[in-house]
Amino acid sequence: MGQLTGGDPSLLRRINSAVVLRALRAAGSPTLTDLTRVTGLSRPTVEGVVEGLIATGLVVEADAEEGARRQGRPARRFRFRAEAGHLLGIEIGSHRVAVLLSGLDGRVIGAGTKEVAETASADERLERVRTAVAELLRRAGIPRDSLRAVGVGSPGIVEADGTVRLGTALPGWTGLPLGERLRRSFRCPVQVENDANAAAVAEHWKGAAQETDDIVFVMAGLSPGAGSLIGGRLHRGFGGAAGEIGALHLLGREVTPERLLSTTGEPLHPLDEPAVAEVFAMAKRGDARAVAAVDRFLQRLVHDVAALVLAMDPELVVLGGWAAGLDGVLGPLRQELERYCLRPPRVALSLLGEAAVATGALRLALDHVEEELFAVEKTVTARRR
């Protein structure tokens, strides 16, 4: 950043404002004395910054405590106005869309889902998104113009502008300008991310990886994907295709995952999650063909994950997607990684389950807002354009 001089007054004000605002958001309802102590700024500087933040609507004077009222005039207290704007986190999946709503502090205040057919067109799927959002905002009593940012988690390789460069999981998804389409609906910044990447961010924020900065999140399925954080920052790769382990079977392997998990000789449909769950349930009941199918599939999954682990050396692998909650997946994965990897990572199931993608998408929106509020720092999900 360099040394600040008298020629940098606007930058200095911005830094002071960011420091005070961050302290306010973290502290509840501090006094000016509290803020002076926490930030290390002078009292006149803090007082001037707070008054400026009140003028923007981001800060308000808090109610005095009742006990203090009885003892005399209390010190003025202030709080961050999380209700000054709202954020959305959206998951767009093969069978449903899910939406989370929060204030500017990222605390969820509403949620909604809508079922959608796996064969639905891109237009139909986006219409389900709009319907789910409209119903959620109506139930929460939040006006649409209160939205400050929207995060979206979607299958596929996603470019920086939100275009899906390749998306075979959903009809009509390849080449879809998803970010552009959604910005027309919301008229606020829209951040689009691959679903496994979004889930990795979510687990680091609120899930199984909160204390870990080097992680791999595996979205288990017949077309598995992975998202990863290196040093606490999301790793997308040069073109956004990092973690596409579902394509590893192309490296000389003729048998696809949907054939490996089949008990009939006919391949499963990659999006038929109930059929996949039934194979695992049959294996748990002792069906010999299902046991063999699950063993074959897990061996392939282990090889795919091991390739990432050997390349990245993460501290933790988090398993999510439909495999989260299915008995028998975690143990074999852990054992096989110990066989293949030079330094086996810890392995855990997702703590967020089916909420992981939408939660990560909400974090994307929150990161965008924080970039504006605290511009002197970079966020976990900031991406190069």
Side-chain angles (χ1 to χ4, degrees):
M1 185 178 297
Q3 184 176 1
L4 295 175
T5 70
D8 304 310
S10 62
L11 178 58
L12 183 57
R13 284 194 297 270
R14 181 67 174 169
I15 292 173
N16 290 343
S17 179
V19 168
V20 172
L21 188 60
R22 187 177 289 278
L24 273 162
R25 194 176 69 163
S29 55
T31 64
L32 290 174
T33 300
D34 295 332
L35 290 172
T36 299
R37 183 179 65 254
V38 170
T39 63
L41 300 173
S42 69
R43 186 181 180 93
T45 296
V46 170
E47 190 166 11
V49 168
V50 168
E51 293 301 327
L53 291 171
I54 289 175
T56 69
L58 288 171
V59 172
V60 68
E61 189 166 350
D63 292 336
E65 298 176 0
E66 287 298 323
R69 283 177 181 162
R70 290 193 294 268
Q71 297 172 15
R73 184 178 180 181
R76 297 172 68 195
R77 292 183 175 274
F78 305 89
R79 69 172 179 85
F80 174 70
R81 290 189 67 239
E83 69 275 19
H86 294 86
L87 313 171
L88 286 176
I90 301 173
E91 174 193 4
I92 303 178
S94 57
H95 298 94
R96 71 165 196 165
V97 298
V99 186
L100 296 177
L101 173 69
S102 82
L104 295 181
D105 55 1
R107 295 181 183 179
V108 175
I109 59 176
T113 60
K114 284 288 183 183
E115 298 298 317
V116 61
E118 65 184 49
T119 58
S121 67
D123 287 343
E124 292 172 319
R125 203 172 299 273
L126 292 178
E127 185 57 36
R128 298 299 276 178
V129 170
R130 297 184 188 97
T131 300
V133 168
E135 291 183 1
L136 176 57
L137 293 177
R138 184 170 60 251
R139 289 198 309 270
I142 301 299
R144 182 175 288 265
D145 61 9
S146 176
L147 295 176
R148 297 292 177 262
V150 175
V152 181
S154 164
I157 299 172
V158 180
E159 297 182 347
D161 64 356
T163 298
V164 182
R165 178 155 58 90
L166 179 64
T168 58
L170 304 179
W173 223 241
T174 296
L176 180 71
L178 182 57
E180 178 184 332
R181 293 281 299 272
L182 291 175
R183 289 181 194 107
R184 297 176 196 165
S185 298
F186 295 112
R187 301 184 184 279
C188 70
V190 176
Q191 314 296 312
V192 183
E193 189 57 78
N194 168 266
D195 53 1
N197 286 351
V201 170
E203 294 292 340
H204 186 257
W205 183 31
K206 291 188 174 184
Q210 293 181 65
E211 304 300 323
T212 308
D213 283 343
D214 292 272
I215 74 165
V216 166
F217 177 91
V218 179
M219 184 79 74
L222 294 183
S223 298
S228 58
L229 270 65
I230 300 175
R233 294 184 63 82
L234 186 60
H235 177 69
R236 297 180 177 88
F238 179 75
E244 291 294 331
I245 58 176
L248 285 176
H249 73 276
L250 300 175
L251 300 179
R253 298 176 180 176
E254 296 182 359
V255 182
T256 62
E258 49 265 37
R259 284 191 177 276
L260 289 174
L261 201 56
S262 172
T263 61
T264 64
E266 292 296 322
L268 298 177
H269 191 286
L271 300 181
D272 194 347
E273 295 176 7
V276 171
E278 178 58 23
V279 173
F280 275 82
M282 290 168 59
K284 187 176 180 181
R285 295 193 296 265
D287 182 275
R289 291 180 301 173
V291 169
V294 169
D295 286 345
R296 291 192 301 267
F297 176 77
L298 288 181
Q299 191 68 22
R300 173 66 61 84
L301 181 64
V302 167
H303 287 171
D304 292 346
V305 176
L308 274 179
V309 170
L310 286 169
M312 302 184 64
D313 187 30
E315 180 182 351
L316 174 67
V317 172
V318 180
L319 188 66
W322 56 257
L326 292 179
D327 294 341
V329 174
L330 200 62
L333 180 61
R334 184 181 291 117
Q335 293 169 9
E336 292 299 295
L337 287 178
E338 289 176 355
R339 289 180 54 197
Y340 288 105
C341 299
L342 301 177
R343 191 205 61 77
R346 292 188 292 114
V347 182
L349 285 176
S350 165
L351 293 183
L352 299 173
E354 64 178 9
V357 175
T359 300
L362 182 64
R363 179 70 236 191
L364 294 175
L366 181 59
D367 272 359
H368 178 83
V369 167
E370 288 186 346
E371 277 196 40
E372 295 182 338
L373 297 180
F374 316 122
V376 293
E377 295 185 5
K378 289 188 179 294
T379 60
V380 170
T381 56
R383 70 190 302 167
R384 179 182 62 198
R385 293 187 181 273

